[in-house]
């Protein structure tokens, strides 16, 4: 089966879900190299759009994402990766999930999670 | 809070999760109009990249996605929408989730779910 990397200029969205709790932890993008590195290493590797290079999640923080299974959608253009998340959380702002805010219809954002760790202690000023 | 629609030419990825079971059902894209329609109607509305127009999920099948809550990630460029999914499944191929295949490292795809409904009966030839 060939993944369809054509729709977003060589990238696919990859949803990261905690395999045990079912919590959605983050969404990242992969190019073909990042996907191959993820399959080969068993640790989630994204393509960083801001830094324009491969980014093994946790390479700085140690909060790596160990792959349990990789699922693909009907259109072969999105991935769902179920993981064991090492460490207290995946978010560079110190939360377990990057989805820690709820949006109201009026546009207000409300934080609905508690901080799981001190991001400054883990990432310093150079976040991620 | 302003969503960042700039990174994918006006689109954001939106992960759809069953609010009860935690199952990830699908991933779609929204532009600003689709997001506004989703907030206003309480039913998930995507921007269809293939048809280049707004697409209220379930407009043909009746399998609408009722919004329970909308979460936004740390970078304000991805959404996680927790829903009540009406009907037996969201996938135009007849599965409960669009993520019904598991990918091996060697590239083989294995169907890991059972068909939940007959897609021909629901969608006819004009899938979606």
């Amino acid at each position: 089966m060939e993944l369809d990397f054509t729709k977003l200029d060589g990238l696919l969205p990859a949803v990261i879900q905690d395999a045990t709790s079912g919590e959605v932890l983050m969404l990242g993008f992969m190019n073909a190299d990042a996907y191959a590195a993820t399959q080969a290493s068993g640790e989630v590797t994204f393509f960083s759009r801001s830094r324009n290079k491969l980014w093994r999640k946790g390479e700085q923080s140690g909060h790596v994402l160990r792959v349990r299974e990789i699922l693909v959608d009907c259109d072969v253009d999105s991935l769902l990766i179920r993981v064991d998340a090492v460490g207290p959380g995946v978010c560079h702002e110190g939360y377990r999930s990057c989805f820690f805010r709820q949006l109201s219809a009026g546009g207000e954002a409300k934080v609905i999670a508690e901080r799981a760790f001190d991001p400054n202690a883990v990432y310093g000023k150079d976040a991620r």
Side-chain angles (χ1 to χ4, degrees), chain A:
Chain A
M1 161 158 309
E2 294 289 322
L3 298 175
D4 182 356
F5 286 99
T6 65
K7 291 181 184 169
L8 293 175
D9 294 333
L11 299 178
L12 286 186
V15 181
I16 307 300
Q17 184 180 33
D18 187 299
T20 304
S21 70
E23 186 175 14
V24 174
L25 300 175
M26 65 182 296
L27 182 145
F29 288 87
M30 291 185 178
N31 61 7
D33 286 348
Y35 175 71
T38 299
Q39 282 283 23
S41 68
E43 292 187 349
V44 172
T45 303
F46 297 113
F47 180 80
S48 168
R49 296 182 291 175
S50 57
R51 290 177 287 169
N52 200 39
K53 64 172 191 173
L54 293 193
W55 161 42
R56 186 170 62 85
K57 173 65 185 158
E59 62 191 12
Q60 182 181 358
S61 63
H63 301 167
V64 299
L65 302 171
R66 294 202 180 118
V67 174
R68 281 249 214 127
E69 62 174 346
I70 300 181
L71 307 178
V72 64
D73 77 345
C74 46
D75 291 336
V76 206
D77 61 7
S78 300
L79 299 172
L80 171 61
I81 305 184
R82 294 168 57 80
V83 303
D84 294 314
V86 174
V90 306
C91 183
H92 73 288
E93 295 198 22
Y95 294 91
R96 174 149 183 81
S97 164
C98 293
F99 295 99
F100 61 86
R101 287 171 299 188
Q102 188 182 59
L103 281 177
S104 72
E108 295 86 31
K110 184 173 113 184
V111 173
I112 56 162
E114 293 194 7
R115 272 235 160 85
F117 62 95
D118 176 359
N120 288 325
V122 171
Y123 294 101
K125 288 179 298 181
D126 183 22
R128 300 308 156 97

